[in-house]
Amino acid sequence: MYFYKLDDGQYIKTSRNLDHSPDYAGRVTRVSTVAYNEATRQKVRLDLSFVSKPGFIKRIDESLGAIDYTLKGDTLVVEDSTPEELQALFLEYNKCIKNSEIDARTRDLINQGFQFGGNQFSLSDTAQRNWMAIRSAVEVGDLDLPIKVSTIDDLEHEIRTPDELQSFFLTGIGTVKYHYGTGRDLKGVVDSKNDTSEVAAVEDVR
């Protein structure tokens, strides 16, 4: 048996291999191979590449705890699953993929940096640590103002006063928090959906 996702977002089970079927050309994606076991009535095997997206195993634990599953080598085995449970499983998978895309967009936005004083500054992990170190050094008197900081384009920007330094720091940290916050809100919308088509319709327009 095979498990396919149609181009309209629906899932079907069939004994036919539709990978190269002219009737379904361009309309289906095989997402798993379904094998039946007489002892357990049904056993579903999913390719590890399909299920090993970030957080997916954890989401099964949290959302589908009633389904018995084990990880055997490269295979996730779901025991005694009903069609409804399978649909729920793939709904959770689609949510996981969508949320991963949102996280990637959040990281991309943060990597673009922040604007201050007409210049663009980095928000890489290293840059954030540098900004915090500079702020701390000035506060304890180990570093005197004015200081020059590098922009994302390797130019120099001079910070002259403690107030300007505080504004610089808060602008950077505020930008990071804003992007994480909008991403978190968007993932909340995804998690509230009860249908794969609704999940697919959620757009990240940030």
Side-chain angles (χ1 to χ4, degrees):
M1 295 294 289
Y2 301 95
F3 204 89
Y4 289 92
K5 179 181 180 182
L6 298 180
D7 57 1
D8 62 1
Q10 298 301 306
Y11 293 95
I12 61 172
K13 288 188 296 184
T14 175
S15 59
R16 295 172 56 199
N17 185 331
L18 305 180
D19 292 358
H20 304 291
S21 169
D23 295 336
Y24 287 89
R27 292 193 55 231
V28 298
T29 302
R30 180 148 60 114
V31 292
S32 72
T33 298
V34 179
Y36 287 89
N37 182 299
E38 291 298 329
T40 60
R41 302 180 112 188
Q42 188 180 53
K43 183 177 290 184
V44 183
R45 289 180 170 84
L46 308 176
D47 293 339
L48 185 62
S49 60
F50 178 80
V51 302
S52 61
K53 301 299 180 181
F56 185 53
I57 298 295
K58 183 172 184 292
R59 291 179 70 86
I60 294 178
D61 283 331
E62 293 175 347
S63 303
L64 303 173
I67 293 181
D68 294 327
Y69 68 91
T70 55
L71 194 60
K72 298 179 180 178
D74 291 340
T75 301
L76 178 75
V77 179
V78 182
E79 308 283 359
D80 297 327
S81 53
T82 66
E84 291 76 18
E85 288 170 332
L86 284 174
Q87 195 74 8
L89 179 67
F90 286 104
L91 173 61
E92 289 303 314
Y93 170 75
N94 285 324
K95 287 181 179 181
C96 183
I97 294 300
K98 179 67 74 171
N99 285 338
S100 295
E101 293 171 353
I102 292 170
D103 286 339
R105 176 58 178 160
T106 296
R107 290 192 298 271
D108 179 61
L109 289 168
I110 291 173
N111 287 337
Q112 293 177 26
F114 70 103
Q115 281 197 341
F116 184 84
N119 291 308
Q120 194 77 8
F121 295 89
S122 174
L123 279 174
S124 68
D125 290 342
T126 300
Q128 291 184 53
R129 287 193 294 268
N130 287 342
W131 306 145
M132 294 180 68
I134 289 172
R135 182 195 189 204
S136 297
V138 170
E139 286 179 344
V140 299
D142 290 340
L143 184 64
D144 295 325
L145 297 173
I147 59 172
K148 292 182 178 180
V149 293
S150 297
T151 70
I152 206 168
D153 300 316
D154 292 326
L155 302 176
E156 287 188 338
H157 176 85
E158 188 173 74
I159 296 179
R160 299 180 179 84
T161 67
D163 286 344
E164 185 180 2
L165 178 61
Q166 179 73 349
S167 180
F168 174 86
F169 178 81
L170 292 179
T171 300
I173 296 302
T175 300
V176 172
K177 289 182 177 180
Y178 173 78
H179 291 318
Y180 275 126
T182 55
R184 182 173 57 252
D185 291 344
L186 198 54
K187 291 197 294 184
V189 173
V190 171
D191 289 337
S192 71
K193 301 304 182 183
N194 297 311
D195 183 83
T196 55
S197 61
E198 294 178 351
V199 172
V202 177
E203 295 185 9
D204 188 349
V205 296
R206 294 178 294 165

